[in-house]
Amino acid sequence: INVCMFCVQRNAYLIAAGVISGIYVLCAVILFLGVREKPDATKLLSDQPVSFFQGLRLVMNHGPYIKLITGFLFTSLAFMLLEGNFALFLAYTLGFRNSFHHILLVIMLSATLTIPCWQWFLTHFGKKTAVYVGISSAIPFLILVVVMKSNIIMTYAAAVAAGISVAAAFLLPWSMLPDVIDDFSLKHPESQGHEAIFFSFYVFFTKFAAGVSLGISTLSLDFAGYKTRGCSQPQAVDYTLKMLVCVAPVTLIFLGLLLFKLYPINESVRKKNKKALQALRNGGSDSETDSTECASNV
């Protein structure tokens, strides 16, 4: 029986891996065939290209970018700790061993369905307001699900709130990154073309948060005496899971929101930068038109 169960689990993991790989390939093909790079009129104003290390130094000294990626690091770490330990918390601490698959599905559905809502919210109320409302909306439910006794209704409510916050936490910081690049372009017009540095370090901090959350969870549960595939766990494991699902994420969310508070690009600054860049692009287009006309006259 154990061998048959192992074979079924092995096949399930293989199918899941194949589906995920297929989605990655499909997304890469859509990106490659569906996106065309357009020339930017705000390219290098000087003939001398800036080296990678000079560009890296400029990017890492740009205050809004540092505040954004640091806040994103803390909030990402918070939700990755929550996601990585929520299944164990449901199975061993709350006792919903037979329902945790449905609760995790509710989190994913909630996150997926609320992405258009957050897009509408940030266009009407601004991105910083959306970050505060979205990321902090899960805090009361996380506290209640840990403080109250095992309650399936409250757990589903917490799952919905967690999904809403997950959508905000992983969507909104990405939507704020282009504003940082625009601000950098205005402050350093002679040094352009560093978008790869901005996005690559953004992705690096995401992966770094995933690795840190996995290490913290593994070490904490190991010190608490977690028994793999055990029917029951020691009391220390229940306490550790509560720390990993509630206390640690809430603390990290507060730290992240504090850094987002220091983030200087609000809605008025964003609109001002957008108008300035548009004027710069129009000026570049006019100069290119004039040079083309002069060349044709010659």
Side-chain angles (χ1 to χ4, degrees):
I1 297 177
N2 292 332
V3 175
C4 294
M5 291 181 61
F6 175 77
C7 293
V8 171
Q9 290 180 352
R10 178 176 178 273
N11 293 332
Y13 278 111
L14 289 174
I15 293 172
V19 171
I20 294 173
S21 301
I23 293 174
Y24 270 103
V25 173
L26 178 62
C27 292
V29 171
I30 294 174
L31 178 64
F32 180 77
L33 298 178
V35 178
R36 291 291 182 268
E37 186 175 0
K38 296 181 180 180
D40 191 357
T42 61
K43 285 184 177 180
L44 286 171
L45 300 181
S46 63
D47 295 332
Q48 285 292 91
V50 178
S51 67
F52 171 79
F53 293 103
Q54 289 176 329
L56 180 62
R57 182 175 57 83
L58 289 174
V59 170
M60 289 301 150
N61 287 330
H62 191 57
Y65 182 64
I66 297 301
K67 294 181 178 67
L68 181 62
I69 61 174
T70 310
F72 182 54
L73 173 64
F74 281 114
T75 54
S76 299
L77 181 58
F79 285 101
M80 287 178 182
L81 281 174
L82 175 62
E83 292 176 357
N85 297 283
F86 201 59
L88 295 175
F89 176 75
L90 293 173
Y92 294 111
T93 303
L94 298 183
F96 300 140
R97 191 183 299 271
N98 297 324
S99 302
F100 77 91
H101 296 92
H102 304 94
I103 296 173
L104 295 178
L105 180 61
V106 168
I107 295 177
M108 295 297 102
L109 289 176
S110 175
T112 304
L113 296 176
T114 52
I115 287 177
C117 300
W118 285 122
Q119 180 64 31
W120 174 88
F121 191 94
L122 67 87
T123 55
H124 286 76
F125 300 99
K127 297 178 181 180
K128 286 187 69 173
T129 304
V131 165
Y132 272 96
V133 174
I135 295 179
S136 61
S137 61
I139 293 177
F141 294 93
L142 292 178
I143 296 174
L144 285 176
V145 80
V146 171
V147 173
M148 294 180 62
K149 293 183 178 180
S150 180
N151 188 316
I152 189 66
I153 297 176
M154 180 57 64
T155 304
Y156 273 104
V160 173
I164 294 173
S165 290
V166 165
F170 289 100
L171 168 70
L172 297 178
W174 279 103
S175 69
M176 299 165 75
L177 184 56
D179 301 334
V180 175
I181 297 176
D182 290 344
D183 185 75
F184 179 86
S185 300
L186 289 173
K187 292 181 179 178
H188 303 280
E190 77 288 347
S191 179
Q192 302 295 321
H194 303 305
E195 290 82 1
I197 299 177
F198 281 99
F199 283 97
S200 60
F201 274 90
Y202 219 57
V203 175
F204 167 76
F205 277 103
T206 304
K207 304 303 181 183
F208 179 75
V212 171
S213 67
L214 181 61
I216 291 174
S217 302
T218 303
L219 289 175
S220 300
L221 291 173
D222 184 61
F223 288 147
Y226 174 75
K227 301 176 183 177
T228 306
R229 297 182 182 180
C231 296
S232 61
Q233 299 293 339
Q235 188 67 30
V237 173
D238 293 340
Y239 178 78
T240 303
L241 287 172
K242 289 180 180 180
M243 295 294 106
L244 293 174
V245 168
C246 178
V247 178
V250 169
T251 303
L252 292 169
I253 287 174
F254 277 122
L255 290 174
L257 293 179
L258 177 61
L259 290 168
F260 283 128
K261 179 68 175 177
L262 302 175
Y263 176 71
I265 304 177
N266 52 26
E267 197 65 15
S268 61
V269 175
R270 184 188 69 82
K271 292 180 180 179
K272 181 181 177 181
N273 289 344
K274 184 177 180 181
K275 290 180 180 179
L277 276 176
Q278 189 62 41
L280 186 61
R281 290 189 178 98
N282 292 336
S285 300
D286 294 339
S287 62
E288 287 181 2
T289 303
D290 295 338
S291 62
T292 303
E293 290 178 355
C294 291
S296 63
N297 292 332
V298 172

